[in-house]
């Protein structure tokens, strides 16, 4: 089932790329495996998945040793400062940096371990009360401040769009995030590349790709429904 789901997701991404005149290689499919057992991750790996997204540090640390070394782990969930030390140097990218304090902690650990940490700034473009992330207005000053920290490379932006029945409703949010990345890039801040736009989940990744996503985070569409209320 997982193999078929990945194939279907791949096909939809390819179609969206085509519609947008983009090359398929511009988009990374991240298999969001939170709450799912390692056997299922292994199945996805065997079907070609190499990028996996998790939202809890403990779960990530538990799964990591059971998976091949060439997996790129993406921390996509809200990150507490006291957990930063466990993942710095181990994950490929942290998608969910939403405060200067968190970035400072990542920087401190990165310097200690002499590694460079790729991060994305999480922006709550839709300004939903329930979501983490800075506002569009705050994003520029956060980018400027984080860019000064050693050991950190800002690769781009991430957003979690609202849950909607019709993905067209989220187009405006994806467009806003893309525009923000262009605005930040145009400021020519050292240490900021803005090559990555992490946006789009199972319900809306096609539209996200049309609007410029370079990473889509697909959980349900690959692994099936999750039990319980896990955000
Ligand atoms: C759970 C989660 C996803 C995947 O959600 P699906 O709707 O199951 O595809 C993507 N991004 C983040 C940040 C998540 O927490």
């Amino acid at each position: 089932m997982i193999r078929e789901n990945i194939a279907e997701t791949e096909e939809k991404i390819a179609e969206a790329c085509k519609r947008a005149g983009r090359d398929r290689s511009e988009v990374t499919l991240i298999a969001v495996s939170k709450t799912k057992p390692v056997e299922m991750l292994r199945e996805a790996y065997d079907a070609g998945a190499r990028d996996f997204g998790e939202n809890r540090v403990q779960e990530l640390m538990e799964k990591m040793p059971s998976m091949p070394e060439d997996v790129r782990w993406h921390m996509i969930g809200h990150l507490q400062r006291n957990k930063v030390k466990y993942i710095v140097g181990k994950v490929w990218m942290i998608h969910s940096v939403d405060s200067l304090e968190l970035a400072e902690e990542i920087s401190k650990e990165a310097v200690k371990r002499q590694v460079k940490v790729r991060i994305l700034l999480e922006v709550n473009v839709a300004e939903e009360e329930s979501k983490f992330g800075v506002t569009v207005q705050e994003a520029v000053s956060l980018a400027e401040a984080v860019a000064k920290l050693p050991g950190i490379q800002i690769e781009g932006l991430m957003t979690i769009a609202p849950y909607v029945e019709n993905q067209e409703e989220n187009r405006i949010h994806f467009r806003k995030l893309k525009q923000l990345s262009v605005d930040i890039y145009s400021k020519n801040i050292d240490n900021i590349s803005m090559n990555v736009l992490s946006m789009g989940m199972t319900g809306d990744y096609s539209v996200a790709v049309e609007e410029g996503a370079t990473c889509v985070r697909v959980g349900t569409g690959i692994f099936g429904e999750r039990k319980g209320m896990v955000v």
Side-chain angles (χ1 to χ4, degrees):
M1 182 195 76
I2 288 174
R3 182 176 289 274
E4 286 77 13
N5 289 347
I6 289 178
E8 194 180 307
T9 308
E10 281 288 345
E11 203 175 300
K12 284 195 188 148
I13 292 172
E15 284 166 5
C17 282
K18 207 165 178 186
R19 284 195 296 277
R22 303 180 64 198
D23 197 279
R24 169 66 190 88
S25 65
E26 292 173 35
V27 183
T28 300
L29 170 58
I30 299 175
V32 177
S33 47
K34 62 190 185 196
T35 80
K36 299 297 179 183
V38 168
E39 297 73 57
M40 292 179 80
L41 278 71
R42 180 60 83 153
E43 227 181 300
Y45 182 93
D46 290 340
R50 291 296 177 272
D51 292 87
F52 288 81
E54 290 281 341
N55 69 337
R56 288 178 55 241
V57 169
Q58 194 184 337
E59 190 176 341
L60 181 63
M61 300 313 292
E62 281 166 12
K63 287 174 176 174
M64 207 176 263
S66 312
M67 291 292 288
E69 295 256 321
D70 63 343
V71 163
R72 289 179 291 265
W73 295 97
H74 297 259
M75 176 60 196
I76 62 174
H78 184 64
L79 181 57
Q80 286 167 333
R81 273 183 283 168
N82 61 356
K83 302 270 175 70
V84 164
K85 56 179 177 287
Y86 300 114
I87 63 167
V88 162
K90 298 203 171 132
V91 298
W92 176 256
M93 192 147 71
I94 300 174
H95 290 231
S96 43
V97 176
D98 60 356
S99 74
L100 182 57
E101 292 72 28
L102 175 59
E104 283 169 345
E105 187 64 32
I106 295 169
S107 170
K108 202 181 88 191
E109 286 297 323
V111 169
K112 207 195 272 178
R113 282 156 218 256
Q114 299 187 300
V115 293
K116 199 102 182 159
V117 181
R118 296 180 196 84
I119 65 144
L120 304 178
L121 301 178
E122 181 172 352
V123 186
N124 183 2
V125 269
E127 302 197 1
E128 286 183 285
E129 290 274 349
S130 58
K131 298 264 166 76
F132 292 104
V134 295
T135 63
V136 168
Q137 288 73 30
E138 291 163 340
V140 179
S141 51
L142 180 62
E144 284 168 340
V146 174
K148 295 195 183 94
L149 300 173
I152 287 191
Q153 171 66 38
I154 304 179
E155 298 281 352
L157 306 175
M158 178 271 225
T159 198
I160 304 174
Y163 177 79
V164 289
E165 292 289 338
N166 175 4
Q167 57 175 312
E168 282 299 333
E169 290 172 38
N170 278 339
R171 191 180 291 279
I172 178 178
H173 302 308
F174 297 143
R175 205 166 274 182
K176 230 182 192 171
L177 193 72
K178 170 73 187 186
Q179 185 57 49
L180 178 60
S181 82
V182 170
D183 291 346
I184 292 176
Y185 183 72
S186 71
K187 292 185 181 295
N188 273 317
I189 308 165
D190 278 351
N191 258 334
I192 296 189
S193 74
M194 289 293 134
N195 289 328
V196 178
L197 268 188
S198 172
M199 57 188 194
M201 315 191 348
T202 297
D204 56 19
Y205 66 83
S206 290
V207 164
V209 168
E210 288 174 14
E211 295 300 329
T214 70
C215 283
V216 293
R217 310 177 307 264
V218 179
T220 310
I222 291 176
F223 297 105
E225 295 284 342
R226 287 177 298 273
K227 289 197 193 78
M229 187 50 212
V230 182
V231 182

